[in-house]
Amino acid sequence: MNFASDNWAGAHPQIAEALTNNAGGYASAYGTGDLDKQVERIFCDVFERDVAVFFVGTGTAANSLSLAWAARPGGVAFCHAEAHAIEDEGGAPEYLTGGARLKGVAGRLGRMDPNALGAAIREHPAEFVHAGQPMAASITQATEIGTLYSLDDIETIAGICREADIPLHLDGARFANALVALDTTPAQMTWKRGVDIVSFGGTKNGCWCAEAIVVLDPAKVGQMHFLRKRAAQLFSKSRFIASQFEAYFRDDLWLKTARHANAMARELATALSAAEGVRLAWQPQANEVFALMSAEKAKALQASGARFYPWKPPLSFASEIRDGDVLHRFVTSFATEPSEITQFADLLQG
Amino acid sequence: MNFASDNWAGAHPQIAEALTNNAGGYASAYGTGDLDKQVERIFCDVFERDVAVFFVGTGTAANSLSLAWAARPGGVAFCHAEAHAIEDEGGAPEYLTGGARLKGVAGRLGRMDPNALGAAIREHPAEFVHAGQPMAASITQATEIGTLYSLDDIETIAGICREADIPLHLDGARFANALVALDTTPAQMTWKRGVDIVSFGGTKNGCWCAEAIVVLDPAKVGQMHFLRKRAAQLFSKSRFIASQFEAYFRDDLWLKTARHANAMARELATALSAAEGVRLAWQPQANEVFALMSAEKAKALQASGARFYPWKPPLSFASEIRDGDVLHRFVTSFATEPSEITQFADLLQG
Amino acid sequence: MNFASDNWAGAHPQIAEALTNNAGGYASAYGTGDLDKQVERIFCDVFERDVAVFFVGTGTAANSLSLAWAARPGGVAFCHAEAHAIEDEGGAPEYLTGGARLKGVAGRLGRMDPNALGAAIREHPAEFVHAGQPMAASITQATEIGTLYSLDDIETIAGICREADIPLHLDGARFANALVALDTTPAQMTWKRGVDIVSFGGTKNGCWCAEAIVVLDPAKVGQMHFLRKRAAQLFSKSRFIASQFEAYFRDDLWLKTARHANAMARELATALSAAEGVRLAWQPQANEVFALMSAEKAKALQASGARFYPWKPPLSFASEIRDGDVLHRFVTSFATEPSEITQFADLLQG
Amino acid sequence: MNFASDNWAGAHPQIAEALTNNAGGYASAYGTGDLDKQVERIFCDVFERDVAVFFVGTGTAANSLSLAWAARPGGVAFCHAEAHAIEDEGGAPEYLTGGARLKGVAGRLGRMDPNALGAAIREHPAEFVHAGQPMAASITQATEIGTLYSLDDIETIAGICREADIPLHLDGARFANALVALDTTPAQMTWKRGVDIVSFGGTKNGCWCAEAIVVLDPAKVGQMHFLRKRAAQLFSKSRFIASQFEAYFRDDLWLKTARHANAMARELATALSAAEGVRLAWQPQANEVFALMSAEKAKALQASGARFYPWKPPLSFASEIRDGDVLHRFVTSFATEPSEITQFADLLQG
């Protein structure tokens, strides 16, 4: 019963196997090998257009370099006030962009409010050097708290970005979970709705370590090659990332693992809803479930072997928390066993 | 017959197998898992003392963050003029140190000359803000061109650093190759001779992607935790690096693979020495062989299936190159088959 | 009737005269001349202790380098959400600190609320690399909106900083205005109450260009010499700053000009209070007055020759603004003529 | 007899007077005032074309921001190995460019050799991320050691830059001294010969503190406004710089002071040449004279009241120094009195 995080899971057997299968022989280094090229073409297929792909080692690197790609001096990047880039990346986005500011924008349940975004941008008029200048907006899909932007939401935000002449970044650490939840295509969830650059995460969904920056219009690749190298993110044996992605996309493994994780989350939510002294904080839309219960209740469950943690309440939700209730997060993944859910459901009933 | 680079090889089967074996189950993320802790203890055993270990993704990251750890504003780091950090890291050391300068120091065949180092340091007196201030020296062991510092060489340079009150970094992208060539211990090659911090590379010697920064005195760990995170080098599923190192050290795999690579280099050198129209540029001491031959000769060999490349002559060697001769590099690795050498020897004779 | 800003004024005649008087002769450059040393000793007298003084060219440089002095990787500096460093310095603090984050803390009328500060710090536990680490707090005295921290307020905030093991910076762009308003001493307003480092501004109070970073405990000067040089803020003919400060302190010129500016502000406030259709937003405590009036009223006054501007309402005040009212700022300085006030008072009545 | 440096002089009386004359009245801040605009137009006249002008506080800032304007990730800027930016700016160019590398290029007596420049650029092929990418070349005119590039030299170097698609920066800390020595025009010495951006220095030639970055094609101004602000170099009372430049250009004051300084240098050289035990190191072309003499001789002169210093010999000159000889630098300026020269000549004879 481990619902601690989707990065507590290891690697999907097919990912591990792919690495073993590709371990032999010689391949040109630093992303120039045949497998690297082949996987780049797979990305083009997945996104239904030519895209430029840059493998990197961590989601933080993908986000930080996507913003570095968009950076301007005195630049301000707009993201949800509780975005991963703000709360959990230890200053990497600021550092790797040469000191950009991440401006937190308000919004219900992890999603930037378009009006708030527009207002925040307008506080930084293009020619007013004192306030800094807008350089990018960033949305997280699925969000940090397991909610989703609809395709129309994305389009609305992209429109605001276009007006402000700034690119739109999508932090897709849980890209696959969002994709299958919305039952849409990568193209629809990104460039067809105005996204310019994507942090495409494989790690949380079954890879060991496979993240890619996808520049959706290859004509706008700019300085990304040098930015990645300068950030020490160009891997010599780059095929070890390519191999993972090759297996990830083969036979739609990535969609299957994401569907599984989301299904497990729904079942977990059902179990939590049914339990006394527990209520869902909001409906899960991807692979994270948030529930309120007393600290005592949580401790009892944990003592019985369930692994999950308290979570800082979103500002937009704080007022809905009753005295004595504590918000907790439960995360599912490709590795979650149905038996973990039923065992936990029993525990909740017990 | 692939002598292009030791990073054209993939992963040793035992490394790949270890990853598969560790793919299942849950483990605490971001370097806090049991396996991570266990591997850190192995490093302590290997170095015969308590050390602080930081896994990172690339050798460039290890070097850059080692220098960042030593950084001072206006800082100058001294390394050989043809060091990897200067020639091949795309500005990552400069960027990740906040703008430090890498000052190239002269020296025969890849090794900094101690007198030249002393003179270079003295050009930056401690209190003279205009010239910047010394912050670190860095040696590469084995060097970029397959030569070695003796233990006494290291001790001499460390003494100069201590006098200047700067730490000594050792770039050990080929640490194991140097170690077995000198038939010494990690302790002797580092802290017992005055090295303060090591880029400990596993990738070139049989891992997929396993690099570690080793701070030899854990009391001096300083800000390394935050430096690594800020550089986007803290991996969520960090056990994928730990697993590699666990297999790397088990039953001395790392020493075996390094000995193999070095032995292959020696045989390759013998074969090259014996060939007409070819002469060794200098005696190989680790797993790289440099030889002079005409461009035509090289092309003929390459056309027959041998993979190797021309190399920019070291400044200290340039005068020894005769008209018509071109310097070429041959690299061996754990993956080099003895049959590749014999096949190449035949080709050379043919 | 120019109330646009205290930096629209030029230089006090005694400042200009001092520059002329010091224009001749040779003096050792880069801050090493006799006059520089003499002025440093005056600073020690002013602060009643040995202090380390660093002249720089702009208030933004003083603030940014004070924070750079305190910087840690992944560092977070806490200041009021509407502080100058956040709103008006174009990313210089972020850049010159190597990517530190400025975390806006709430508080009434420009002053950080100590509880909010404590809570913000606690969101960045010392060993949790993901959230970044606290590195400094910064207060502005007088604040951006002409209010003051009491000495006890400063002491309270300093206590919170000490507990969190971070230094306290005071942005004293209007140091003198605050000092005379509180009728206290530089020592009392700073180190006796726990301030560690001060941006000591002379420019807004009658100098051309004279700012100093004052490290209150010279034993903690750290890397400031190199930080200033690296930021291109070490002036060759540094005596041109020293000269200004020498005249600034001579015969208490600085206190006189500050008292004058504050007195002018009080008279302006009286005039505004008495006018129909105008109300003071809050009591001015230094040399800035904020008043509410309709846009039409403001335009009429401006059309009659009064220079002042609308101002973005502080978040903590927004709810007190009635429909149709617009907040406006009026700033006085050493250069404000009493006749400007009476002329404006007449205009308000007219 | 003070020949220590041209920045040991203070300000020309007309500069000081201009500051006094402009001290009164109100002016819009941060470079938006009428005088600022007027001086920008004077710069256009001086350069015989529309240019974009950015006042900054120090020559180091002008150089660093000019390079920042040209910066690319992993960027390499080429300048003479003994350029001020390399030897004397404390890492500011590296810091303010986000970690660019300054690559020292060889050349006789302070001037980059065009062939060496071409070779250095070719070591960084445009698409090879490992070596970094060329981003700019920078020449100093007059050089650090008082020599000059001819207009044809400049054109040759500009041609190499154009081929490599990098801009050419001219460090004009002693722009006026070079200009009058070559008897040419600012247009000829810059854009007509291919220079793209200039650090235009007024400080060494009679100003207190007046430096300007001149972007010669205003269409290429790029991010300079934000770069300057982000570096804390946008002055609030910017008219104090504008005033200095206004006086500097009025009635050709700047040309007169430069001619005077150069003439004094020539007389100083004559006096040195005539002295026993002294020989000129090379012919002075601007306002610096370098001479060889024994340390004893130098000490005796200094003991008699002459102020000058030893200087690190240029690499290209080192072999010409005889045992016992020490290289010394003598600098003249607007402030050098003819009587200082005659007094020194007497001393040399005595």
Side-chain angles (χ1 to χ4, degrees):
Chain A
M1 293 179 295
N2 194 309
F3 311 117
S5 177
D6 35 11
N7 58 34
W8 283 46
H12 190 279
Q14 289 174 235
I15 302 291
E17 189 190 6
L19 276 172
T20 301
N21 291 344
N22 282 294
Y26 296 102
S28 171
Y30 295 113
T32 61
D34 291 343
L35 186 61
D36 292 81
K37 298 295 172 200
Q38 179 190 332
V39 171
E40 286 174 27
R41 284 191 300 273
I42 297 174
F43 268 94
C44 296
D45 291 343
V46 165
F47 279 92
E48 301 173 50
R49 64 167 292 164
D50 276 358
V51 297
V53 181
F54 297 84
F55 301 149
V56 295
T58 65
T60 294
N63 286 343
S64 300
L65 290 177
S66 292
L67 295 177
W69 169 83
R72 301 170 184 171
V76 181
F78 301 89
C79 49
H80 190 272
E82 289 143 5
H84 197 265
I86 289 190
E87 303 248 309
D88 280 303
E89 300 190 346
E94 285 90 342
Y95 194 76
L96 294 175
T97 53
R101 178 178 299 175
L102 304 187
K103 176 85 182 174
V105 173
R108 279 287 295 165
L109 296 179
R111 292 174 293 243
M112 273 201 289
D113 176 70
N115 293 329
L117 172 61
I121 291 174
R122 281 190 299 276
E123 286 188 6
H124 303 79
E127 297 302 310
F128 188 68
V129 293
H130 308 285
Q133 60 183 328
M135 68 177 225
S138 175
I139 56 175
T140 310
Q141 177 80 326
T143 73
E144 285 308 289
I145 55 171
T147 57
L148 296 173
Y149 288 91
S150 72
L151 299 187
D152 286 352
D153 290 343
I154 295 173
E155 195 162 1
T156 302
I157 286 174
I160 293 168
C161 291
R162 211 161 29 245
E163 256 179 66
D165 195 24
I166 57 175
L168 177 56
H169 167 248
L170 186 149
D171 173 359
R174 295 187 179 95
F175 189 94
N177 300 96
L179 191 75
V180 300
L182 290 176
D183 195 19
T184 187
T185 65
Q188 276 297 340
M189 201 164 82
T190 61
W191 61 272
K192 288 191 173 171
R193 299 301 180 124
V195 172
D196 296 288
I197 188 166
V198 174
S199 297
F200 187 92
T203 306
K204 287 179 193 289
N205 191 33
C207 293
W208 269 127
C209 159
E211 305 286 321
I213 299 165
V214 183
V215 181
L216 292 159
D217 178 355
K220 294 186 180 157
V221 72
Q223 294 287 338
M224 189 61 94
H225 283 282
F226 284 93
L227 287 169
R228 178 177 58 173
K229 177 71 187 181
R230 186 179 72 171
Q233 290 285 343
L234 178 55
F235 288 79
S236 55
K237 295 184 178 175
S238 167
R239 63 166 139 156
F240 92 92
I241 298 184
S243 298
Q244 295 179 66
F245 273 128
E246 195 275 330
Y248 189 66
F249 289 126
R250 202 189 323 133
D251 301 331
D252 289 341
L253 174 63
W254 68 306
L255 304 179
K256 293 172 193 164
T257 51
R259 280 191 199 108
H260 173 78
N262 289 6
M264 291 294 99
R266 282 193 304 272
E267 292 192 19
L268 191 60
T270 304
L272 284 161
S273 301
E276 210 166 330
V278 180
R279 66 186 172 104
L280 282 188
W282 52 84
Q283 280 305 317
Q285 296 182 277
N287 67 321
E288 293 182 291
V289 184
F290 289 78
L292 295 154
M293 66 184 82
S294 68
E296 294 71 35
K297 178 94 186 169
K299 257 175 216 155
L301 292 167
Q302 288 159 342
S304 303
R307 200 117 200 196
F308 61 93
Y309 290 104
W311 194 259
K312 193 181 76 165
L315 199 60
S316 64
F317 184 75
S319 66
E320 299 176 36
I321 300 182
R322 291 183 296 233
D323 253 24
D325 267 359
V326 179
L327 186 68
H328 289 85
R329 182 181 82 151
F330 302 77
V331 193
T332 57
S333 76
F334 77 93
T336 308
E337 300 283 349
S339 64
E340 292 183 278
I341 308 288
T342 51
Q343 193 186 347
F344 186 59
D346 290 350
L347 192 61
L348 282 165
Q349 300 301 341
Chain B
M1 293 179 295
N2 193 308
F3 311 116
S5 177
D6 33 12
N7 58 34
W8 284 46
H12 190 280
Q14 289 174 233
I15 302 292
E17 189 191 7
L19 276 172
T20 301
N21 292 343
N22 282 294
Y26 295 101
S28 171
Y30 294 114
T32 61
D34 291 344
L35 186 61
D36 292 80
K37 298 296 172 199
Q38 180 190 333
V39 170
E40 285 173 30
R41 281 190 302 273
I42 297 174
F43 268 95
C44 297
D45 291 344
V46 164
F47 279 92
E48 300 174 49
R49 64 166 293 166
D50 276 359
V51 298
V53 180
F54 297 83
F55 301 150
V56 295
T58 64
T60 294
N63 286 343
S64 299
L65 290 177
S66 292
L67 294 176
W69 169 83
R72 301 170 185 171
V76 181
F78 301 89
C79 48
H80 190 272
E82 288 143 4
H84 196 265
I86 288 190
E87 301 247 311
D88 280 304
E89 300 191 346
E94 284 90 343
Y95 193 76
L96 295 175
T97 54
R101 177 179 298 174
L102 304 187
K103 176 87 182 172
V105 173
R108 278 286 298 164
L109 296 179
R111 292 175 293 244
M112 272 200 289
D113 175 69
N115 293 328
L117 172 61
I121 291 174
R122 281 190 299 277
E123 285 187 7
H124 303 80
E127 298 301 310
F128 188 68
V129 295
H130 307 286
Q133 60 183 328
M135 69 177 223
S138 175
I139 56 175
T140 310
Q141 177 81 323
T143 74
E144 285 309 288
I145 56 170
T147 56
L148 296 174
Y149 288 91
S150 71
L151 299 187
D152 286 351
D153 289 344
I154 295 174
E155 194 162 359
T156 301
I157 286 174
I160 293 168
C161 291
R162 211 161 28 244
E163 256 180 65
D165 195 23
I166 57 175
L168 177 56
H169 167 249
L170 185 149
D171 173 358
R174 295 186 180 96
F175 189 95
N177 301 96
L179 190 76
V180 300
L182 289 177
D183 194 19
T184 188
T185 65
Q188 276 296 341
M189 203 164 83
T190 60
W191 60 274
K192 288 191 174 172
R193 298 300 181 127
V195 172
D196 295 290
I197 188 166
V198 173
S199 296
F200 187 93
T203 306
K204 285 180 193 288
N205 191 33
C207 293
W208 269 126
C209 159
E211 304 286 320
I213 298 165
V214 183
V215 181
L216 292 160
D217 177 356
K220 295 187 179 156
V221 73
Q223 294 287 337
M224 189 60 94
H225 283 282
F226 284 94
L227 287 168
R228 178 177 59 174
K229 177 70 187 181
R230 186 180 72 171
Q233 290 285 345
L234 177 57
F235 288 78
S236 56
K237 295 182 178 176
S238 166
R239 64 167 141 155
F240 95 93
I241 298 183
S243 297
Q244 295 179 68
F245 273 128
E246 196 275 329
Y248 190 65
F249 288 125
R250 201 188 324 132
D251 301 331
D252 288 341
L253 174 62
W254 69 307
L255 303 179
K256 292 171 193 165
T257 50
R259 280 192 198 107
H260 173 78
N262 289 6
M264 292 295 98
R266 280 192 305 273
E267 293 192 19
L268 191 60
T270 304
L272 285 160
S273 300
E276 211 167 331
V278 180
R279 65 181 172 107
L280 282 189
W282 51 85
Q283 280 306 318
Q285 296 183 277
N287 67 320
E288 294 182 291
V289 184
F290 289 79
L292 295 153
M293 66 184 82
S294 68
E296 295 70 35
K297 176 93 186 170
K299 256 175 217 157
L301 293 167
Q302 288 158 343
S304 303
R307 199 117 202 197
F308 60 94
Y309 290 103
W311 193 257
K312 192 181 78 168
L315 199 60
S316 63
F317 184 76
S319 66
E320 300 176 34
I321 301 182
R322 293 183 294 233
D323 253 26
D325 268 359
V326 179
L327 186 68
H328 289 84
R329 183 182 80 153
F330 301 78
V331 193
T332 57
S333 76
F334 77 94
T336 307
E337 298 283 349
S339 64
E340 291 183 278
I341 308 289
T342 52
Q343 193 186 348
F344 186 59
D346 290 350
L347 192 62
L348 283 165
Q349 300 302 339
Chain C
M1 293 178 296
N2 194 308
F3 311 116
S5 176
D6 33 12
N7 58 34
W8 283 45
H12 190 280
Q14 290 174 234
I15 301 291
E17 189 191 6
L19 276 173
T20 301
N21 291 344
N22 282 293
Y26 296 103
S28 171
Y30 296 114
T32 61
D34 291 343
L35 186 62
D36 292 81
K37 298 296 172 197
Q38 179 190 332
V39 170
E40 285 174 30
R41 281 191 302 273
I42 297 174
F43 267 95
C44 297
D45 291 344
V46 164
F47 278 92
E48 300 173 51
R49 63 166 293 164
D50 275 359
V51 297
V53 181
F54 297 84
F55 301 150
V56 295
T58 65
T60 293
N63 286 343
S64 300
L65 289 177
S66 292
L67 293 176
W69 169 83
R72 301 170 185 171
V76 181
F78 302 89
C79 49
H80 190 272
E82 289 143 5
H84 196 265
I86 289 190
E87 303 248 309
D88 280 303
E89 300 191 346
E94 285 90 343
Y95 193 76
L96 294 175
T97 54
R101 177 178 299 173
L102 304 187
K103 175 87 182 172
V105 173
R108 279 287 297 166
L109 296 179
R111 291 175 293 242
M112 273 201 289
D113 177 69
N115 293 328
L117 171 62
I121 291 174
R122 281 190 300 275
E123 285 187 8
H124 302 79
E127 297 302 310
F128 188 68
V129 294
H130 307 285
Q133 60 183 329
M135 68 177 225
S138 175
I139 56 176
T140 310
Q141 177 81 325
T143 75
E144 286 308 289
I145 56 171
T147 57
L148 295 174
Y149 289 91
S150 72
L151 300 188
D152 286 351
D153 289 343
I154 295 174
E155 194 163 0
T156 301
I157 286 173
I160 293 168
C161 291
R162 212 161 28 244
E163 257 179 65
D165 195 23
I166 57 175
L168 177 56
H169 167 249
L170 185 149
D171 173 358
R174 294 186 181 96
F175 190 95
N177 301 97
L179 190 77
V180 301
L182 289 177
D183 194 19
T184 187
T185 65
Q188 275 296 340
M189 203 163 82
T190 62
W191 60 274
K192 288 192 174 171
R193 300 300 182 125
V195 172
D196 295 289
I197 189 167
V198 173
S199 296
F200 187 93
T203 306
K204 286 180 192 289
N205 191 34
C207 293
W208 267 127
C209 159
E211 304 286 320
I213 299 166
V214 183
V215 181
L216 292 160
D217 177 355
K220 295 188 179 154
V221 72
Q223 294 287 339
M224 189 61 94
H225 283 282
F226 285 93
L227 287 168
R228 178 178 59 174
K229 177 70 188 181
R230 186 179 72 170
Q233 289 286 342
L234 177 56
F235 288 79
S236 55
K237 295 184 177 174
S238 167
R239 65 167 139 155
F240 93 91
I241 298 184
S243 298
Q244 294 179 67
F245 273 129
E246 197 274 330
Y248 190 64
F249 289 126
R250 201 189 322 133
D251 301 331
D252 289 341
L253 174 64
W254 67 307
L255 304 179
K256 292 174 192 163
T257 51
R259 279 191 198 109
H260 173 79
N262 289 6
M264 292 293 98
R266 281 192 305 272
E267 292 192 21
L268 191 60
T270 304
L272 285 160
S273 301
E276 209 166 332
V278 181
R279 68 184 170 104
L280 282 189
W282 52 85
Q283 280 305 319
Q285 296 183 275
N287 67 321
E288 294 182 291
V289 184
F290 290 79
L292 295 154
M293 66 185 83
S294 68
E296 295 70 35
K297 176 93 186 170
K299 255 175 219 159
L301 292 167
Q302 288 158 343
S304 303
R307 200 117 200 197
F308 59 94
Y309 291 104
W311 193 258
K312 193 181 77 167
L315 200 61
S316 63
F317 184 76
S319 66
E320 300 175 36
I321 300 181
R322 292 184 295 234
D323 254 25
D325 267 0
V326 179
L327 186 67
H328 289 84
R329 182 181 81 152
F330 302 79
V331 193
T332 57
S333 76
F334 77 92
T336 307
E337 299 281 350
S339 62
E340 292 182 279
I341 308 290
T342 51
Q343 193 186 349
F344 186 58
D346 291 349
L347 193 61
L348 282 165
Q349 301 302 339
Chain D
M1 294 178 294
N2 194 308
F3 311 117
S5 177
D6 35 11
N7 58 35
W8 284 45
H12 190 279
Q14 287 173 236
I15 302 291
E17 188 190 6
L19 277 172
T20 301
N21 292 345
N22 281 294
Y26 296 101
S28 171
Y30 295 113
T32 61
D34 291 344
L35 186 61
D36 292 81
K37 298 295 172 201
Q38 179 190 333
V39 171
E40 285 173 29
R41 282 192 301 273
I42 297 174
F43 268 94
C44 298
D45 291 344
V46 164
F47 279 91
E48 299 174 50
R49 63 167 293 166
D50 275 357
V51 297
V53 181
F54 297 83
F55 301 148
V56 295
T58 65
T60 294
N63 286 343
S64 300
L65 291 176
S66 293
L67 294 176
W69 169 84
R72 300 170 184 172
V76 181
F78 302 88
C79 49
H80 190 272
E82 289 144 3
H84 197 265
I86 288 191
E87 302 248 310
D88 280 304
E89 299 190 347
E94 285 90 342
Y95 194 77
L96 295 174
T97 54
R101 176 178 300 174
L102 304 188
K103 176 88 180 171
V105 173
R108 278 288 296 166
L109 296 180
R111 292 174 292 244
M112 273 200 290
D113 176 70
N115 293 328
L117 172 61
I121 291 174
R122 281 190 301 277
E123 286 188 6
H124 303 79
E127 296 303 309
F128 187 66
V129 294
H130 307 285
Q133 61 183 328
M135 68 177 224
S138 175
I139 55 175
T140 310
Q141 178 79 325
T143 74
E144 285 309 288
I145 55 170
T147 57
L148 295 173
Y149 289 90
S150 72
L151 299 187
D152 286 352
D153 290 342
I154 295 174
E155 194 162 0
T156 301
I157 286 174
I160 294 169
C161 292
R162 208 160 32 244
E163 257 180 63
D165 195 24
I166 57 175
L168 177 57
H169 167 248
L170 185 150
D171 173 359
R174 294 187 180 96
F175 190 94
N177 301 97
L179 191 76
V180 300
L182 290 176
D183 195 18
T184 186
T185 66
Q188 275 296 341
M189 201 164 83
T190 62
W191 62 273
K192 288 192 174 172
R193 298 300 180 126
V195 172
D196 296 289
I197 188 166
V198 173
S199 295
F200 187 93
T203 307
K204 287 180 193 289
N205 191 33
C207 294
W208 269 127
C209 159
E211 305 286 321
I213 298 164
V214 182
V215 181
L216 292 159
D217 178 355
K220 295 187 179 156
V221 73
Q223 294 288 339
M224 190 61 94
H225 283 282
F226 285 94
L227 287 169
R228 178 177 59 173
K229 176 70 188 182
R230 187 180 71 170
Q233 290 285 344
L234 178 56
F235 288 78
S236 55
K237 295 183 177 175
S238 167
R239 65 166 139 155
F240 94 93
I241 298 184
S243 297
Q244 294 178 67
F245 273 127
E246 196 274 330
Y248 190 65
F249 290 125
R250 201 187 324 132
D251 301 331
D252 289 340
L253 174 63
W254 67 307
L255 303 179
K256 292 171 192 164
T257 51
R259 280 190 199 109
H260 174 78
N262 289 6
M264 291 294 99
R266 281 193 305 273
E267 294 193 18
L268 191 60
T270 305
L272 285 160
S273 301
E276 210 167 331
V278 180
R279 67 185 172 105
L280 281 189
W282 51 85
Q283 281 305 319
Q285 296 183 277
N287 67 320
E288 293 182 290
V289 184
F290 289 78
L292 294 153
M293 66 184 83
S294 68
E296 295 70 37
K297 177 94 187 172
K299 256 175 217 157
L301 292 166
Q302 288 158 343
S304 302
R307 200 118 201 195
F308 60 94
Y309 291 104
W311 193 258
K312 192 180 76 165
L315 199 60
S316 63
F317 184 75
S319 65
E320 300 176 37
I321 300 183
R322 291 183 295 233
D323 252 26
D325 267 0
V326 179
L327 186 68
H328 289 85
R329 183 181 80 152
F330 302 78
V331 193
T332 57
S333 76
F334 77 94
T336 307
E337 299 282 349
S339 63
E340 292 183 278
I341 308 288
T342 52
Q343 192 186 348
F344 185 60
D346 291 348
L347 192 61
L348 282 165
Q349 301 301 341

